[in-house]
Structure formats: C-alpha cells, structure tokens
Amino acid sequence: MHTLNIGILAHVDAGKTSLTERLLFDGGALDRLGSVDAGDTRTDDGEIERRRGITIRSAVAAFTAGDVQINLIDTPGHSDFIAEVERALEVLDGAVLLLSAVEGVQAQTRVLMRTLRRLRLPTLVFVNKIDRAGAREEALLDDVRRRLTPFVVPLTRVRDIGGPHARVVPRPLDEAAIGTLAEVDADVLAAVVDGPPPTPDALDAALTARTADGSLHPVLFGSALGGQGVPELVEALVRMVPRATAPDSGPPRGTVFAVRPGPGGERTAYLRLYAGRVTPRQRLTFVRREADGRTSPVPGRARELDVVGRPEAIALTPGDIAALRGVSGVRVGDRLGDATDRAPQFAAPTLETVVRAKHPHQAAPLRAALLALADQDPLLRARPAPSGATSLLLYGEVQLEVLAATLAQDFGIEAEFEPSRVRFLERPDGTGEACEEIQRHGHLGFWATVGLRIGPGPLGSGGVFTYETELGALPRAFHQAIEDTVHATLLTGPHDRPVTDYRVTLIRSGFVAPLSTAADFRGLTPIVLRRALERAGTRVYEPCHTFEVEVPLDALAPVTARLAALGAEFGETTGGRTSWLVTGELPARRVRDIELRLPGLTHGEGVWWSRPSGDRRL
C-alpha cells in the first residue's frame, strides 16, 4: 500500500471541512458524518474551531481507497491564516481546490491557484454544493477559465443542478477538452494538427500526465453534504496524482508542518518524511531557520511515533506522516535534513500588537503561553516589550480574536491587546564601519576590542552575522556575546523600527585575560554597532498588501480614484462584461480605509481581498 498526501484548499466557507468529513465517512474512517454547524467534525477538533465554524490549524486524517492510503490535510480558508496553508503545501503530493457552485471563483481561490501552479502541484478542482439553489455549471466553467486558469478539463456534468435531486454523470472529452489538452501536451497537439486523431487511451494518458506535472486541472462536480460526485473525485485522485518515490535508506529528511499542544504541556509534532526512516527513540537532529536568517540545531528523541492511518507501523517511511511525541522544543518549520523545493515563501505579518495579562499574577503564565503558541506558529515572533508586556506579529484582526480566545480557553489567561498597528522596518542604505579598542595604557571602560562593519544583505535574508577575524582569536563565549548582542541591538534602529536584511561582519576583536568578560563585549558591541549603522544610514520601509477588488461596472472610476489617492500601484484591470476586477498593491496602513469606504463606493456590491506581499521604501 502506498500513500498520497492530499490537501483540501478553498476560500472560506466553500465546504472544505464538510468534504473532508464526507471523504473520511465514505472511506470507512468514520462511522457517522460530522457537521460544521453542529461542531462535531473530525478535523476541526478545537473548541474555538467548533464555536466559530472555521478551520484554524491544519489537521490530518486518513482513509483508504483500494490499495492506496490517502492522508487528508484540511487547511484554513481565512486569509489571516494563509501562512498555515502555505506550510501545509510543502508536504503535499496533490491538492483538491474547492469551489462553491453558487459563489464560484473567489479572491482566496485565485491566490491559491496561483500558488499551486507556481509549485506545479497536481491539483484537481472540485465544484461543491451542486444541490443548492443558484448552483451553476457551464457559467461557472466559463468563470473558472476566465478568472482562475484556462487549463481545465471537466470530467463530470450535473443533471438537475440547483436542487435536492442533483446528480453527477460522466462527461466525455469533447472538442473543447481536446483543444485544452493540445495546448499543454505536444503529442496531443501533433495528433490534432497532423493526424491521425488521438485515441481515447492517448487522451487519457495525456490527461493523467499533464495533471501529474501541474499544467492541467481536471474539474469534477459534486456535493460534500449529499455525497454526489465524491466517489468520482477519489477515483481521479488515485489515478492522476503520482506517488512520491524516495529511498528509505540514508539519513532521514522531512518537515514538521504542524505542532499541537497536549496535556501537561507536551507537544505533538506532525512530520512528513521524504527520505530515510524514523523509528521510536531514534536520535534526531532538526534544523531551525531563525527569523534573522541563522540556522540552529534542535536535537531530540521521539519517545512515541504514530504513523497516520497505520497504527501497526513500527517506523515512519518516505511518503508517510507521523505524530511525534517527546521531542522537546520542536516547532513548526523545523526540518530533518535539507529543505524541499516547496519550502514556503510568504511575506512576514504586517501588523504588530502588544499583549498584557489582565491580572498581574498571570504575567509569567501569559509569557509562557505565548512562547508555546509561537512554537505552533513561528511567524507570531513573540518577544519582550516594555513593562513586562509581549510584542506579537499578526496577519489580521481575526487572528487576534482567535489568539485571545485560545489564551482564555486553553490556558485560562485573560489578556488585553493594544490596538494593532502597522509594522515598519529599516534596512541599511550603505556600508559603515566602527571600532573600539583596548588602550595599551590607562584604559578605562570595557575590557574588549570590537570592530564591526554593517551593510545591506539580500532581500528577505533577515540578519546575518559573519567573521573576518580568526575564529580562535576570542573565546567562544565572547564570540557568542557579540553575535547575540548584534541581533538584539538591531531590533530597534535609528528610526525606532526593527532593522532587517543586514549583514554584520566582525572585522576586529581582542581581549585581555583575565580581565575581559562576556559582559564587556555585551556592553561595547551596541556602542560600536550603532556608530557603524549611523555611518551606513538606514531607510524606512512600509509593508504593502497585494489586493484584488471586484466592483460593478459603474463603480470603476470612483474606486480606482480612491485607491490612487491612498497610494495604490495598479496591476491589471480585467472584466467589463458584468463587473471589473482590479489588482495592485497598496500600503498596509491604507487597507482599513478602503475596506470601510468600499461599500459606499460600490452600493454594497464590491468585494475586497488583500494579503501581505512585501514592502516599499518611504
């Protein structure tokens, strides 16, 4: 039996969790169907997820289809949790992109499809809710080709769509489907142009091959609640998503894509293995990439190992996912071995808030709880703030609400959050050097010699510390004191913003035994570094959001005028038949303004979506 790891992705409320529940039920993994409304689904097992009716953390469950085990990864749909989605993409063999037959292509759907096509991940499109009033088939397919991707081939059609008796029947490959195949498959194109016409077997082989390489996307219709079309979806997944192959010899290589807290503070880490083999109590060394670009080892030993869907398994082998318990300190994003080519790449959160315990005696437990939550989502980046508070990074207000509810529900802590604000950054604008040396006679001050050079690093590199001095010239503790102090000092730059994408080089060092201590280097390093940074100069950058806004035909002018006044840089404007779709980039601090004004500018018909995309210089 081999394993497929399949992600269910969609815009919020398209029916991801309901489809996951149906697949598990039909596959024999559940003896009854759960309901999102009733709050008793298998994958949304958190109290907050059940109460709000949304998925917050990626969850894993398994069922079998013939000789194939399918691990389902149910991901969040709300854009505030996009980082959770993109982390899950790294461990997938294939994906199901879910659309509602009523709402059709939505903002998050387009973002997800662009990401899936960039990764060339085999993706099937499942059109859900065919039994709901207002469901569409041909009009929706036109919408998909126009607004999502033209490279789709429908494999099923719907009879009596939009009512309780809607049912799914096979759809033969017609001329339009063959034409689409010919655009992405050279053999089919040659057969269409030069003859003889491609045979059904050749078309089926081309459809499978082009789905496997991510250049074409089969479309299937159905209903997660009613079960129509779900068997056809499973059959297509098994037939068209290729099996990942890798040797089970050599060092293990994998990714931790989810961490769940357990009783007594113990963590359960979900590890997807790409190569090698992992057994219980085996010594493991994970590699962690810190926010400043540094990597550090995280050693540990899995006390328990439960392979998802295979309780009898005694080892984790390539392609499978396991829940590891007993590896202390492990967190989301830690890796065994090298990174994969699907390592997630997303912009850092653009909002920052400060959180304090409502009751002073809960200050220490709050700090511990936030650090534990940051292990589940490292992009939170919990760090100390003045007066015993903690600073956090966020993607949006829904994430803040969920965080507050999690602290209350899971940790019994009432927390108070300051209003979130946009997080600006500084980057070095040039190169600067400074040095302070121990004087030969009459020395006063720190018993340390430190010379530093600071300059710009590659975009997205965070902070990098290197040496031009000989490594043995200083005791290791003094080296570490300098490096740690450099990164701590650059949390606040000359303009009171965090400094990022810098490269600091130690160009001179010295000490006097036994007078010099690590405290001398911790005290002198900020003085030298700030002087070097002042000579280099910094520029302030503000975060931006990429946006998509759909507006009625008569609202294009007022909406684009308002966006231009807010500093938007426009991308494409498409449509013109029933509405306009405008894309572009907008400063994050202006997003709330357009969200509030859009209903009035569009008579309540405008649809706005945005997400962090990077930054621009002020």
Side-chain angles (χ1 to χ4, degrees), residues 2 32 44 50 82 117 124 150 188 204 206 225 255 267 307 323 348 390 421 437 464 493 523:
H2 73 269
R32 71 176 186 85
D44 282 353
R50 290 173 172 171
I82 188 66
R117 287 186 63 80
L124 282 68
V188 174
D204 186 65
L225 292 180
T255 298
R267 299 167 182 167
V307 179
T390 301
R421 59 188 181 275
E437 298 194 59
V464 176

PDB file of all heavy atoms in Angstrom, residues 2 32 44 50 82 117 124 150 188 204 206 225 255 267 307 323 348 390 421 437 464 493 523:
ATOM      1  N   HIS A   2       0.570   2.200  -0.892  1.00  0.00           N
ATOM      2  CA  HIS A   2       1.319   3.446  -0.883  1.00  0.00           C
ATOM      3  C   HIS A   2       0.411   4.579  -0.420  1.00  0.00           C
ATOM      4  O   HIS A   2      -0.801   4.423  -0.297  1.00  0.00           O
ATOM      5  CB  HIS A   2       1.939   3.744  -2.251  1.00  0.00           C
ATOM      6  CG  HIS A   2       0.964   4.182  -3.289  1.00  0.00           C
ATOM      7  ND1 HIS A   2       0.325   3.315  -4.149  1.00  0.00           N
ATOM      8  CD2 HIS A   2       0.515   5.427  -3.612  1.00  0.00           C
ATOM      9  CE1 HIS A   2      -0.462   3.989  -4.959  1.00  0.00           C
ATOM     10  NE2 HIS A   2      -0.371   5.279  -4.662  1.00  0.00           N
ATOM     11  N   ARG A  32     -19.938   7.845  11.360  1.00  0.00           N
ATOM     12  CA  ARG A  32     -21.028   8.779  11.143  1.00  0.00           C
ATOM     13  C   ARG A  32     -20.466  10.113  10.676  1.00  0.00           C
ATOM     14  O   ARG A  32     -19.320  10.464  10.974  1.00  0.00           O
ATOM     15  CB  ARG A  32     -21.868   8.982  12.403  1.00  0.00           C
ATOM     16  CG  ARG A  32     -21.193   9.767  13.503  1.00  0.00           C
ATOM     17  CD  ARG A  32     -22.137  10.012  14.672  1.00  0.00           C
ATOM     18  NE  ARG A  32     -21.535  10.881  15.676  1.00  0.00           N
ATOM     19  CZ  ARG A  32     -21.555  12.196  15.637  1.00  0.00           C
ATOM     20  NH1 ARG A  32     -22.156  12.814  14.621  1.00  0.00           N
ATOM     21  NH2 ARG A  32     -20.979  12.922  16.571  1.00  0.00           N
ATOM     22  N   ASP A  44     -11.816  19.603  12.639  1.00  0.00           N
ATOM     23  CA  ASP A  44     -11.937  20.834  13.436  1.00  0.00           C
ATOM     24  C   ASP A  44     -12.239  20.432  14.867  1.00  0.00           C
ATOM     25  O   ASP A  44     -13.359  20.562  15.367  1.00  0.00           O
ATOM     26  CB  ASP A  44     -13.054  21.738  12.890  1.00  0.00           C
ATOM     27  CG  ASP A  44     -12.625  22.493  11.647  1.00  0.00           C
ATOM     28  OD1 ASP A  44     -11.437  22.410  11.300  1.00  0.00           O
ATOM     29  OD2 ASP A  44     -13.470  23.148  11.027  1.00  0.00           O
ATOM     30  N   ARG A  50     -14.685  24.782  16.528  1.00  0.00           N
ATOM     31  CA  ARG A  50     -16.082  24.339  16.539  1.00  0.00           C
ATOM     32  C   ARG A  50     -17.042  25.497  16.792  1.00  0.00           C
ATOM     33  O   ARG A  50     -18.114  25.577  16.185  1.00  0.00           O
ATOM     34  CB  ARG A  50     -16.258  23.262  17.611  1.00  0.00           C
ATOM     35  CG  ARG A  50     -15.564  21.948  17.256  1.00  0.00           C
ATOM     36  CD  ARG A  50     -15.604  20.959  18.386  1.00  0.00           C
ATOM     37  NE  ARG A  50     -15.102  19.660  17.949  1.00  0.00           N
ATOM     38  CZ  ARG A  50     -14.851  18.653  18.764  1.00  0.00           C
ATOM     39  NH1 ARG A  50     -15.037  18.789  20.068  1.00  0.00           N
ATOM     40  NH2 ARG A  50     -14.411  17.506  18.291  1.00  0.00           N
ATOM     41  N   ILE A  82      -3.140  32.359   6.167  1.00  0.00           N
ATOM     42  CA  ILE A  82      -2.523  31.920   4.918  1.00  0.00           C
ATOM     43  C   ILE A  82      -1.184  31.239   5.153  1.00  0.00           C
ATOM     44  O   ILE A  82      -0.803  30.323   4.428  1.00  0.00           O
ATOM     45  CB  ILE A  82      -2.370  33.113   3.949  1.00  0.00           C
ATOM     46  CG1 ILE A  82      -1.899  32.636   2.574  1.00  0.00           C
ATOM     47  CG2 ILE A  82      -1.417  34.161   4.514  1.00  0.00           C
ATOM     48  CD1 ILE A  82      -2.892  31.779   1.848  1.00  0.00           C
ATOM     49  N   ARG A 117      -0.080  26.497  -9.006  1.00  0.00           N
ATOM     50  CA  ARG A 117       0.534  26.413 -10.333  1.00  0.00           C
ATOM     51  C   ARG A 117       2.020  26.780 -10.274  1.00  0.00           C
ATOM     52  O   ARG A 117       2.835  26.208 -11.010  1.00  0.00           O
ATOM     53  CB  ARG A 117      -0.215  27.303 -11.326  1.00  0.00           C
ATOM     54  CG  ARG A 117      -1.575  26.737 -11.712  1.00  0.00           C
ATOM     55  CD  ARG A 117      -2.246  27.542 -12.810  1.00  0.00           C
ATOM     56  NE  ARG A 117      -1.489  27.532 -14.053  1.00  0.00           N
ATOM     57  CZ  ARG A 117      -1.491  26.551 -14.954  1.00  0.00           C
ATOM     58  NH1 ARG A 117      -2.217  25.454 -14.745  1.00  0.00           N
ATOM     59  NH2 ARG A 117      -0.794  26.646 -16.062  1.00  0.00           N
ATOM     60  N   LEU A 124      -6.645  18.982  -8.539  1.00  0.00           N
ATOM     61  CA  LEU A 124      -7.973  18.750  -9.100  1.00  0.00           C
ATOM     62  C   LEU A 124      -8.917  19.801  -8.541  1.00  0.00           C
ATOM     63  O   LEU A 124      -8.793  20.197  -7.374  1.00  0.00           O
ATOM     64  CB  LEU A 124      -8.485  17.355  -8.749  1.00  0.00           C
ATOM     65  CG  LEU A 124      -7.930  16.176  -9.563  1.00  0.00           C
ATOM     66  CD1 LEU A 124      -6.445  15.946  -9.283  1.00  0.00           C
ATOM     67  CD2 LEU A 124      -8.716  14.898  -9.261  1.00  0.00           C
ATOM     68  N   PRO A 150      -7.213  28.938 -17.721  1.00  0.00           N
ATOM     69  CA  PRO A 150      -7.888  28.332 -18.879  1.00  0.00           C
ATOM     70  C   PRO A 150      -7.608  26.844 -19.025  1.00  0.00           C
ATOM     71  O   PRO A 150      -8.284  26.154 -19.800  1.00  0.00           O
ATOM     72  CB  PRO A 150      -7.303  29.115 -20.063  1.00  0.00           C
ATOM     73  CG  PRO A 150      -5.964  29.585 -19.587  1.00  0.00           C
ATOM     74  CD  PRO A 150      -6.109  29.825 -18.113  1.00  0.00           C
ATOM     75  N   VAL A 188      -0.464  15.348 -28.090  1.00  0.00           N
ATOM     76  CA  VAL A 188      -1.858  15.583 -28.475  1.00  0.00           C
ATOM     77  C   VAL A 188      -1.927  16.666 -29.549  1.00  0.00           C
ATOM     78  O   VAL A 188      -2.689  16.565 -30.522  1.00  0.00           O
ATOM     79  CB  VAL A 188      -2.701  15.984 -27.250  1.00  0.00           C
ATOM     80  CG1 VAL A 188      -4.120  16.375 -27.663  1.00  0.00           C
ATOM     81  CG2 VAL A 188      -2.747  14.839 -26.249  1.00  0.00           C
ATOM     82  N   ASP A 204      -6.476   9.939 -22.498  1.00  0.00           N
ATOM     83  CA  ASP A 204      -6.495   9.664 -21.070  1.00  0.00           C
ATOM     84  C   ASP A 204      -5.086   9.695 -20.489  1.00  0.00           C
ATOM     85  O   ASP A 204      -4.854  10.232 -19.397  1.00  0.00           O
ATOM     86  CB  ASP A 204      -7.142   8.302 -20.811  1.00  0.00           C
ATOM     87  CG  ASP A 204      -7.324   8.024 -19.333  1.00  0.00           C
ATOM     88  OD1 ASP A 204      -8.112   8.746 -18.687  1.00  0.00           O
ATOM     89  OD2 ASP A 204      -6.668   7.096 -18.807  1.00  0.00           O
ATOM     90  N   ALA A 206      -2.536  11.410 -21.682  1.00  0.00           N
ATOM     91  CA  ALA A 206      -2.090  12.803 -21.681  1.00  0.00           C
ATOM     92  C   ALA A 206      -2.731  13.577 -20.537  1.00  0.00           C
ATOM     93  O   ALA A 206      -2.068  14.392 -19.870  1.00  0.00           O
ATOM     94  CB  ALA A 206      -2.423  13.457 -23.016  1.00  0.00           C
ATOM     95  N   LEU A 225     -22.080  17.446   1.233  1.00  0.00           N
ATOM     96  CA  LEU A 225     -23.133  17.042   2.164  1.00  0.00           C
ATOM     97  C   LEU A 225     -23.930  15.858   1.640  1.00  0.00           C
ATOM     98  O   LEU A 225     -24.232  14.923   2.376  1.00  0.00           O
ATOM     99  CB  LEU A 225     -24.063  18.229   2.443  1.00  0.00           C
ATOM    100  CG  LEU A 225     -23.451  19.386   3.236  1.00  0.00           C
ATOM    101  CD1 LEU A 225     -24.469  20.498   3.435  1.00  0.00           C
ATOM    102  CD2 LEU A 225     -22.933  18.911   4.590  1.00  0.00           C
ATOM    103  N   THR A 255       9.880  17.344   7.114  1.00  0.00           N
ATOM    104  CA  THR A 255       9.458  18.672   7.558  1.00  0.00           C
ATOM    105  C   THR A 255       8.383  18.554   8.628  1.00  0.00           C
ATOM    106  O   THR A 255       7.432  17.784   8.475  1.00  0.00           O
ATOM    107  CB  THR A 255       8.889  19.483   6.376  1.00  0.00           C
ATOM    108  OG1 THR A 255       9.904  19.668   5.407  1.00  0.00           O
ATOM    109  CG2 THR A 255       8.381  20.838   6.838  1.00  0.00           C
ATOM    110  N   ARG A 267       4.137  18.377  23.518  1.00  0.00           N
ATOM    111  CA  ARG A 267       3.760  18.721  22.155  1.00  0.00           C
ATOM    112  C   ARG A 267       3.707  17.486  21.277  1.00  0.00           C
ATOM    113  O   ARG A 267       4.495  16.554  21.438  1.00  0.00           O
ATOM    114  CB  ARG A 267       4.759  19.707  21.558  1.00  0.00           C
ATOM    115  CG  ARG A 267       4.857  21.012  22.301  1.00  0.00           C
ATOM    116  CD  ARG A 267       6.068  21.777  21.847  1.00  0.00           C
ATOM    117  NE  ARG A 267       6.219  23.019  22.569  1.00  0.00           N
ATOM    118  CZ  ARG A 267       7.301  23.757  22.559  1.00  0.00           C
ATOM    119  NH1 ARG A 267       8.342  23.364  21.866  1.00  0.00           N
ATOM    120  NH2 ARG A 267       7.359  24.878  23.240  1.00  0.00           N
ATOM    121  N   VAL A 307       2.253   6.573  13.131  1.00  0.00           N
ATOM    122  CA  VAL A 307       2.103   6.859  11.709  1.00  0.00           C
ATOM    123  C   VAL A 307       0.618   7.033  11.396  1.00  0.00           C
ATOM    124  O   VAL A 307      -0.208   6.169  11.734  1.00  0.00           O
ATOM    125  CB  VAL A 307       2.710   5.728  10.856  1.00  0.00           C
ATOM    126  CG1 VAL A 307       2.523   6.016   9.369  1.00  0.00           C
ATOM    127  CG2 VAL A 307       4.192   5.557  11.185  1.00  0.00           C
ATOM    128  N   ALA A 323       2.835  11.369  13.863  1.00  0.00           N
ATOM    129  CA  ALA A 323       2.756  12.242  15.033  1.00  0.00           C
ATOM    130  C   ALA A 323       3.861  11.834  15.987  1.00  0.00           C
ATOM    131  O   ALA A 323       3.908  10.687  16.448  1.00  0.00           O
ATOM    132  CB  ALA A 323       1.393  12.109  15.700  1.00  0.00           C
ATOM    133  N   ALA A 348       6.231  38.374   5.772  1.00  0.00           N
ATOM    134  CA  ALA A 348       6.031  38.397   7.215  1.00  0.00           C
ATOM    135  C   ALA A 348       4.741  39.149   7.544  1.00  0.00           C
ATOM    136  O   ALA A 348       4.271  39.982   6.760  1.00  0.00           O
ATOM    137  CB  ALA A 348       7.220  39.071   7.891  1.00  0.00           C
ATOM    138  N   THR A 390       4.350  41.681  26.052  1.00  0.00           N
ATOM    139  CA  THR A 390       4.930  40.879  24.977  1.00  0.00           C
ATOM    140  C   THR A 390       4.438  41.421  23.644  1.00  0.00           C
ATOM    141  O   THR A 390       3.249  41.697  23.471  1.00  0.00           O
ATOM    142  CB  THR A 390       4.532  39.399  25.105  1.00  0.00           C
ATOM    143  OG1 THR A 390       4.998  38.902  26.374  1.00  0.00           O
ATOM    144  CG2 THR A 390       5.146  38.564  24.003  1.00  0.00           C
ATOM    145  N   ARG A 421      -1.103  47.766  15.095  1.00  0.00           N
ATOM    146  CA  ARG A 421      -0.564  48.840  14.259  1.00  0.00           C
ATOM    147  C   ARG A 421       0.336  48.231  13.193  1.00  0.00           C
ATOM    148  O   ARG A 421       0.879  47.135  13.361  1.00  0.00           O
ATOM    149  CB  ARG A 421       0.222  49.839  15.110  1.00  0.00           C
ATOM    150  CG  ARG A 421       1.389  49.225  15.867  1.00  0.00           C
ATOM    151  CD  ARG A 421       2.020  50.201  16.837  1.00  0.00           C
ATOM    152  NE  ARG A 421       3.145  49.617  17.542  1.00  0.00           N
ATOM    153  CZ  ARG A 421       3.046  48.883  18.646  1.00  0.00           C
ATOM    154  NH1 ARG A 421       1.846  48.641  19.163  1.00  0.00           N
ATOM    155  NH2 ARG A 421       4.128  48.384  19.232  1.00  0.00           N
ATOM    156  N   GLU A 437      38.912  49.962  20.665  1.00  0.00           N
ATOM    157  CA  GLU A 437      39.989  49.059  21.065  1.00  0.00           C
ATOM    158  C   GLU A 437      40.397  49.278  22.517  1.00  0.00           C
ATOM    159  O   GLU A 437      40.213  50.376  23.073  1.00  0.00           O
ATOM    160  CB  GLU A 437      41.208  49.273  20.162  1.00  0.00           C
ATOM    161  CG  GLU A 437      40.948  48.982  18.706  1.00  0.00           C
ATOM    162  CD  GLU A 437      42.238  48.871  17.912  1.00  0.00           C
ATOM    163  OE1 GLU A 437      43.068  47.999  18.262  1.00  0.00           O
ATOM    164  OE2 GLU A 437      42.420  49.660  16.980  1.00  0.00           O
ATOM    165  N   VAL A 464      22.257  38.623   9.171  1.00  0.00           N
ATOM    166  CA  VAL A 464      23.363  37.664   9.043  1.00  0.00           C
ATOM    167  C   VAL A 464      24.581  38.239   9.761  1.00  0.00           C
ATOM    168  O   VAL A 464      24.901  39.426   9.597  1.00  0.00           O
ATOM    169  CB  VAL A 464      23.697  37.396   7.560  1.00  0.00           C
ATOM    170  CG1 VAL A 464      24.904  36.475   7.445  1.00  0.00           C
ATOM    171  CG2 VAL A 464      22.493  36.795   6.846  1.00  0.00           C
ATOM    172  N   GLY A 493      16.169  50.314  15.293  1.00  0.00           N
ATOM    173  CA  GLY A 493      17.129  51.085  14.516  1.00  0.00           C
ATOM    174  C   GLY A 493      17.072  52.569  14.835  1.00  0.00           C
ATOM    175  O   GLY A 493      16.359  52.996  15.758  1.00  0.00           O
ATOM    176  N   GLY A 523      28.456  44.878  26.517  1.00  0.00           N
ATOM    177  CA  GLY A 523      28.317  46.311  26.743  1.00  0.00           C
ATOM    178  C   GLY A 523      28.887  47.158  25.621  1.00  0.00           C
ATOM    179  O   GLY A 523      28.324  48.207  25.273  1.00  0.00           O
TER     180      GLY A 523
END
